């Protein structure tokens, strides 16, 4: 299937085929893409006839709905675009842009709608695979899906605080994977590398938000994470080879550095220091409060 499958003409033909498959008026045209689109039409019919019995997470549903509404408004589909469309109509004249034929306009709207429905159905279906991949570890067939789901979560999250919290959640997930990989030196070290990377990403976002807002609330999230994570990581020292224990201590040292940075930023905010100019892998690097403050 070539890369221009969802070009405008093919999207319009896809909408026609969906109409026909669902009992709509038959279009007396034949496209070279019909054979390629037939498989997608069949999938659409199966999804309509027997939708997957999947319980979708509330947060995922909310994010997906927001994404689809934004796409509908941008593409001019349905009521979501009514206000935008009416505003644009007042700024246009018939002389500046010829009106589209009603049939063409309706067909393109159906094509866009069909694509959105396909996206939604695919996302819901994939959410079931995502749930099945929750316990996957590096080397498992579903591990790539697990990491892709995490990237999708990040894509649906807008604020730095929420993204920072997600990265810390991922660090906790990597810790659980590490516990399953003891005895596999390369796998164990690799997943701890990923855990530390997620920790740095989350901490950098949260410390940056705390400094920007002059509010230590985000630092509370960091400290809570460090306390629980350090205890759990320390548990990995009980077993494993010497090389694995040495690698574990590096992660513990990172958590200690995170706690020191969080405490230093909290003190800087409390004594009214200006926002730090410099930063590193853990975010803003504050100056020390003067002793007379």
């Amino acid at each position: 299937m070539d890369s221009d499958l969802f070009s405008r003409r093919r999207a319009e033909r896809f909408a026609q085929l969906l109409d026909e498959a669902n009992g709509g008026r038959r279009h007396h045209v034949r496209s070279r893409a019909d054979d390629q689109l037939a498989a997608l039409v069949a999938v659409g019919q199966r999804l309509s006839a027997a939708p997957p019995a999947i319980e979708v997470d509330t947060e995922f549903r909310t994010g997906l709905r927001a994404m689809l509404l934004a796409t509908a408004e941008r593409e001019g589909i349905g009521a979501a675009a009514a206000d935008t469309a009416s505003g644009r109509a007042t700024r246009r004249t018939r002389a500046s842009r010829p009106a589209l034929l009603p049939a063409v306009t309706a067909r393109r709207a159906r094509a866009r709608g069909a694509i959105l429905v396909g996206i939604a159905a695919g996302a819901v279906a994939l959410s079931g695979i995502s749930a099945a991949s929750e316990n996957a570890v590096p080397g498992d067939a579903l591990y790539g899906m697990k990491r892709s789901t995490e990237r999708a979560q990040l894509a649906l999250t807008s604020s730095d605080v929420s993204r920072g919290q997600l990265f810390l959640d991922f660090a906790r997930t990597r810790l659980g994977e590490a516990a399953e990989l003891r005895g596999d030196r390369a796998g164990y070290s690799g997943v701890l590398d990923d855990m530390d990377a997620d920790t740095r990403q989350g901490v950098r976002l949260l410390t940056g938000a705390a400094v920007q807002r002059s509010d230590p609330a985000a630092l509370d999230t960091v400290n809570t994470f460090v306390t629980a994570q350090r205890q759990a990581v320390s548990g990995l020292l009980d077993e494993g080879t010497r090389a694995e224990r040495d690698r574990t201590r590096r992660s513990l040292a990172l958590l200690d550095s995170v706690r020191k940075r969080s405490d230093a930023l909290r003190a800087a905010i409390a004594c009214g220091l200006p926002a730090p100019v410099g930063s590193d892998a853990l975010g803003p690097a504050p100056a020390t409060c003067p002793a007379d403050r």
Side-chain angles (χ1 to χ4, degrees):
M1 197 174 293
D2 57 19
S3 61
D4 67 342
L5 174 60
F6 283 111
S7 65
R8 178 168 293 179
R9 288 186 178 179
R10 292 194 178 195
E12 290 171 3
R13 182 56 181 156
F14 180 46
Q16 290 176 350
L17 291 173
L18 282 177
D19 286 344
E20 294 174 7
N22 292 320
R25 179 178 65 85
R26 183 172 181 81
H27 299 269
H28 298 286
V29 295
R30 174 76 182 173
S31 167
R32 288 180 297 176
D34 283 10
D35 292 337
Q36 296 175 328
L37 293 172
L40 293 177
V41 173
V43 170
Q45 287 184 290
R46 289 199 297 271
L47 286 173
S48 299
I54 298 170
E55 184 177 352
V56 183
D57 180 75
T58 302
E59 183 177 351
F60 178 85
R61 186 186 295 110
T62 301
L64 178 61
R65 180 178 182 276
M67 180 183 68
L68 292 177
L69 285 176
T71 303
E73 181 175 353
R74 185 176 64 250
E75 296 293 338
I77 301 170
D83 293 339
T84 302
S86 62
R88 289 174 181 167
T90 61
R91 295 192 297 271
R92 291 176 182 164
T93 63
R94 293 182 180 178
S96 63
R97 182 174 181 177
L100 293 175
L101 292 175
V104 175
T105 303
R107 188 163 64 248
R108 287 179 178 174
R110 288 198 304 273
R112 291 167 175 167
I115 293 171
L116 282 179
V117 170
I119 292 172
V124 171
L126 287 176
S127 68
I129 301 175
S130 170
S133 69
E134 285 181 357
N135 296 322
V137 298
D140 289 350
L142 290 179
Y143 190 69
M145 174 60 67
K146 181 178 183 178
R147 299 303 294 267
S148 295
T149 300
E150 293 177 353
R151 289 191 291 270
Q153 288 179 273
L154 288 170
L156 292 173
T157 305
S158 56
S159 74
D160 284 350
V161 171
S162 296
R163 287 172 61 83
Q165 291 171 338
L166 267 179
F167 273 116
L168 297 187
D169 286 342
F170 299 158
R172 295 184 184 98
T173 300
R174 302 289 85 79
L175 175 59
E177 294 167 1
E180 298 295 323
L181 290 173
R182 280 183 293 194
D184 177 356
R185 180 175 177 179
Y188 182 82
S189 180
V191 81
L192 287 188
D193 288 344
D194 289 344
M195 180 185 76
D196 290 349
D198 288 336
T199 297
R200 293 187 187 95
Q201 290 268 32
V203 168
R204 182 167 62 248
L205 289 168
L206 290 168
T207 55
V211 167
Q212 185 178 14
R213 302 174 185 183
S214 296
D215 183 354
L219 301 178
D220 295 337
T221 300
V222 172
N223 288 358
T224 299
F225 165 79
V226 169
T227 299
Q229 189 81 344
R230 197 184 194 290
Q231 182 177 357
V233 173
S234 296
L236 296 177
L237 294 172
D238 295 338
E239 299 178 13
T241 65
R242 179 177 178 179
E244 290 174 350
R245 290 195 296 272
D246 289 343
R247 178 60 191 84
T248 302
R249 291 188 183 96
R250 286 165 47 196
S251 293
L252 289 171
L254 172 62
L255 292 171
D256 291 341
S257 297
V258 168
R259 184 55 186 259
K260 289 179 182 177
R261 175 61 56 84
S262 176
D263 291 344
L265 287 170
R266 187 183 300 272
I269 291 172
C271 69
L273 287 179
V277 176
S279 65
D280 56 21
L282 299 181
T288 303
C289 290
D292 58 349
R293 291 203 180 194

